[in-house]
Amino acid sequence: MVKYFRSLNGKRYPLPIFFPDATQAVVKTLDSLDIVNTQTPGVLVNTYHLYRELGGGLIKKFGGVRKFMNFDGPIISDSGGFQLMSLVKSKNGKGKVSDIGISFYPSKKRKILFTPEKSIDYQIKLKTDLIVVLDDFTPPTASYDEAKVTVERTIKWAKRCRETYDKYYKLGDGPYLIGVVQGGKYGDLRKYCAVKLAEIGFDGLGYGGWPIDENNNFDYRSAEIIAECAPDDYLLYGLGVGKPHEIVNLHKMGYQIFDCVLPTRDARHERLYVYNENSVKNIELNDDKFYSYYVPSKQKNYLLNEPVSKVCDCLLCKNYSKAYLAHLFRINDISAMRLASIHNLRFYSILMEKLGRVAGDKYIK
Ligand SMILES: [Zn+2]
C-alpha cells in the first residue's frame, strides 16, 4: 500500500489525506493561511471552473495554481468532467457527449469542445500534484446498456489521457495520474472498467460516478469491487467522498485520498461537525455515532459560554463561545461562515490523523 503522497515540489505527506474543495482556487471565505492553520495539508481545484475563468495565460504567468494562490501544500485537480456532464446530461442541458469529447455552449454564440487531451493539457498547466482522467459519468438511473456505453467511452478516453500524459511525463515521475472507474450499480461493469484501466496503467483508481444508490444509501459494494481490482501499489481515491463515516468505511477498504464539498458547504449553512467525546484519544471511529452536528439556530439555549467542541483546537473552539458564534450567524456576518469552515476543516484533519493512527502509521504534522 502507498504510504505517502508526494507533491511535485518533492515533499511527502502521510496518507490518508482529505482535500477540501477550493473550486475556483479558493476555499470559500478562507485564505490559504487559514487552510494551513486547520492542519489541512492540501486542496482540490476544479479544472472546468479555472479553465472557464482564467484560461491558460494567467496560470502560466504564475507557474501554476500553487503560486497563484500562494499555497504550499499539495493541490489536486479534477478532470472537469463531472461539472460538464452535469450541465450536458441535465434535463435542459445544451450540449453533447460523443466519442470525441464533450461539446457545450457557455453562451449562445460560443461552442466549446472539451476533450480528454484538453483536460490533461490544462491540468498539467495548473501544475497540480494529482490529475484525473476525463471520464463519461454513468448517471444513477442508467440502464445496463446505457451504463455499458459510458464505461466503454471512459476506457477509450482514459487511453487518450494516458497518451497525452506520456508526452509530458513518464508515469511515476510527474503528477499522479488517476483513472476513474464508472459503471454505476452494475458490479460486472465496475470490475471490467477497473481491470481495463489497470491494463492501460495509472498511479491509482478513483471511485467515480454517483456513490449513492436508488434508496439513498452509500454504494459500498462498488467501492469494494474497485479496491479488489486495483493493483497493490495503486492509490485509491474516493472522488467526492464524503461524510465522515463514509470516509472511515472506505479507508478500511484501502482508500487513501478523499475530497468533498460537504465540510465547508455545511459550515456556511450553519452545520458544524462535532466529535461525541471530550478528547481526541477517546474518539472511537468504529462507533456508529462517533460524531454529530451542531446547528446554532436549532439550539434552545443561545447563551452558552462554552466552545462548540471540547476536542477541537481550532480558531473558533479555542477563542469563542457557542453564544458568540450563534450571534454571528444571526446577524449574518461572514466571519460566522469563516469560523465554522475553519472548525469543520479541523474536524476532518483530526479524522485523518485518527485514521493514520488506526492504520498503525505515525502521523507527521
Ligand atoms: Zn473547532
Side-chain angles (χ1 to χ4, degrees):
M1 192 187 274
V2 187
K3 295 219 163 175
Y4 292 93
F5 183 100
R6 57 163 174 75
S7 63
L8 286 173
N9 59 10
K11 293 186 181 172
R12 294 198 309 172
Y13 299 84
L15 293 165
I17 299 189
F18 174 80
F19 294 88
D21 282 20
T23 307
Q24 306 229 38
V26 61
V27 174
K28 279 185 185 164
T29 75
L30 304 188
D31 81 332
S32 295
L33 284 177
D34 283 339
I35 301 167
V36 171
N37 289 335
T38 65
Q39 298 179 54
T40 301
V43 296
L44 169 131
V45 295
N46 183 277
T47 296
Y48 164 68
H49 285 289
L50 293 184
Y51 180 71
R52 199 187 59 184
E53 293 296 327
L54 297 175
L58 191 63
I59 289 297
K60 201 175 165 199
K61 191 176 164 196
F62 276 83
V65 71
R66 186 193 312 283
K67 287 193 180 138
F68 182 54
M69 43 182 309
N70 191 24
F71 182 75
D72 188 48
I75 303 182
I76 66 175
S77 48
D78 61 9
S79 67
F82 189 78
Q83 280 71 27
L84 277 174
M85 289 289 175
S86 310
L87 289 176
V88 171
K89 291 194 176 181
S90 68
K91 257 188 183 170
N92 303 315
K94 288 193 178 78
K96 209 175 94 181
V97 183
S98 70
D99 282 348
I100 304 166
I102 310 165
S103 45
F104 65 105
Y105 300 86
S107 65
K108 270 187 182 169
K109 287 182 185 163
R110 205 166 150 228
K111 180 185 167 184
I112 291 182
L113 176 65
F114 196 69
T115 60
E117 289 80 7
K118 273 189 188 166
S119 174
I120 297 299
D121 279 337
Y122 194 66
Q123 291 183 76
I124 283 175
K125 271 201 189 91
L126 290 173
K127 285 218 163 69
T128 42
D129 301 298
L130 174 151
I131 67 178
V132 175
V133 302
L134 187 69
D135 57 323
D136 188 3
F137 176 74
T138 312
T141 52
S143 68
Y144 186 87
D145 288 344
E146 286 165 347
K148 193 158 191 326
V149 171
T150 64
V151 164
E152 293 293 357
R153 190 172 283 142
T154 291
I155 296 164
K156 274 184 211 154
W157 284 3
K159 200 159 182 287
R160 284 162 57 190
C161 285
R162 172 70 206 270
E163 283 162 9
T164 309
Y165 181 91
D166 289 347
K167 287 181 193 162
Y168 296 93
Y169 296 106
K170 207 171 127 236
L171 201 65
D173 287 349
Y176 291 115
L177 181 67
I178 302 291
V180 179
V181 181
Q182 291 289 346
K185 63 190 169 194
Y186 306 104
D188 63 323
L189 290 182
R190 289 278 190 185
K191 190 175 176 185
Y192 170 73
C193 192
V195 169
K196 286 286 171 193
L197 291 178
E199 279 173 15
I200 298 169
F202 292 98
D203 291 304
L205 291 181
Y207 177 14
W210 197 245
I212 309 293
D213 69 18
E214 289 142 318
N215 303 320
N216 229 5
N217 295 317
F218 194 92
D219 178 7
Y220 288 112
R221 183 66 200 125
S222 294
E224 213 163 21
I225 291 168
I226 297 165
E228 284 163 6
C229 296
D232 285 347
D233 58 346
Y234 266 38
L235 284 168
L236 287 171
Y237 174 8
L239 286 95
V241 179
K243 291 177 182 161
H245 62 281
E246 293 166 354
I247 288 180
V248 171
N249 289 333
L250 254 62
H251 183 256
K252 284 179 191 163
M253 299 175 193
Y255 285 78
Q256 302 259 48
I257 295 175
F258 306 92
D259 83 86
C260 193
V261 296
L262 273 181
T264 46
R265 181 188 285 164
D266 278 349
R268 296 193 302 276
H269 292 94
E270 222 184 317
R271 183 188 252 197
L272 287 86
Y273 295 59
V274 180
Y275 289 106
N276 296 334
E277 282 294 346
N278 285 333
S279 75
V280 174
K281 196 171 154 255
N282 290 341
I283 301 166
E284 181 42 74
L285 298 179
N286 288 319
D287 185 342
D288 268 359
K289 295 195 170 76
F290 70 86
Y291 70 101
S292 48
Y293 300 119
Y294 173 72
V295 182
S297 64
K298 284 196 178 159
Q299 303 300 308
K300 283 183 188 137
N301 184 356
Y302 276 109
L303 308 173
L304 291 175
N305 185 11
E306 60 179 34
V308 166
S309 166
K310 291 191 177 78
V311 166
C312 186
D313 55 2
C314 81
L315 185 71
L316 169 68
C317 296
K318 279 281 177 204
N319 296 286
Y320 306 105
S321 63
K322 284 179 172 173
Y324 186 60
L325 181 71
H327 164 68
L328 294 178
F329 269 115
R330 270 203 306 276
I331 61 168
N332 206 19
D333 191 273
I334 193 145
S335 57
M337 296 185 197
R338 172 172 175 257
L339 289 170
S341 299
I342 285 171
H343 168 80
N344 278 359
L345 286 188
R346 183 61 186 129
F347 177 99
Y348 271 68
S349 68
I350 291 173
L351 180 64
M352 293 303 118
E353 289 170 23
K354 285 291 287 187
L355 285 172
R357 284 178 195 140
V358 168
D361 266 352
K362 195 169 175 284
Y363 195 95
I364 304 154
K365 282 184 184 167

